[in-house]
Amino acid sequence: MFYMYYPNYISYLAPNGSFDDRLYINYSRYEGTMNLDSVFSVGEKAGCISYSKMSRIEGDMFRGNTKLKNVGSILIYNDNLKYIETLNIATATSASNIIGQSPVMIIETVAMPTALDNMAKILDSGYYNDSSMIGELR
């Protein structure tokens, strides 16, 4: 696994980082907009970005990934995260709690799977026990 704790250099990972479930970014103090285009472009499982300060994610984190099967808890506990440009999990067969405990208000573009073995609260933010936080899916 490739763990990063307190990474001040998160911006060097993307775009086109080509990581998979080995990438865990925890407690990043990077604030503002982050371009995460293609950061999870390989592998069957997505990694995790949690407890960060970023407020916006631009790009498609899964661009180019044709093997993606398992997406769970990838953007959890990001207290400032309000906007995601693209969430493309169309090839996934298992998806759950993707944005758990993050106050996401807008997801600009969503590509959802057509068939899932497990679909446990895919886009339920659960933020402070309010499952209605997502205001817009565009």
Side-chain angles (χ1 to χ4, degrees):
M1 298 234 174
F2 179 63
Y3 290 99
M4 294 181 65
Y5 294 98
Y6 304 101
N8 292 325
Y9 49 91
I10 188 173
S11 60
Y12 296 115
L13 295 176
N16 303 311
S18 299
F19 291 96
D20 56 13
D21 64 324
R22 296 169 295 162
L23 177 66
Y24 282 75
I25 300 170
N26 297 322
Y27 301 103
S28 170
R29 293 182 297 243
Y30 183 89
E31 295 184 25
T33 300
M34 174 55 86
N35 182 344
L36 293 178
D37 197 66
S38 302
V39 76
F40 297 121
S41 63
V42 298
E44 292 186 6
K45 295 180 181 179
C48 178
I49 300 171
S50 60
Y51 299 101
S52 78
K53 301 287 185 197
M54 69 182 147
S55 59
R56 293 175 57 96
I57 294 176
E58 292 185 352
D60 178 357
M61 292 179 284
F62 304 104
R63 182 183 313 281
N65 191 334
T66 58
K67 298 178 183 178
L68 185 67
K69 299 295 178 213
N70 188 335
V71 182
S73 302
I74 60 168
L75 297 170
I76 59 172
Y77 302 110
N78 294 293
D79 287 340
N80 297 327
L81 184 59
K82 303 261 196 270
Y83 174 90
I84 299 171
E85 181 179 12
T86 301
L87 183 60
N88 181 358
I89 59 168
T91 63
T93 55
S94 178
S96 63
N97 197 28
I98 292 171
I99 56 172
Q101 301 300 317
S102 295
V104 173
M105 297 296 288
I106 296 173
I107 302 176
E108 195 73 36
T109 303
V110 178
M112 298 296 281
T114 55
L116 289 174
D117 296 332
N118 173 24
M119 185 174 115
K121 297 183 178 182
I122 285 183
L123 296 178
D124 183 357
S125 72
Y127 194 72
Y128 297 113
N129 297 318
D130 183 359
S131 61
S132 62
M133 283 303 288
I134 297 175
E136 293 183 46
L137 296 176
R138 296 182 181 176

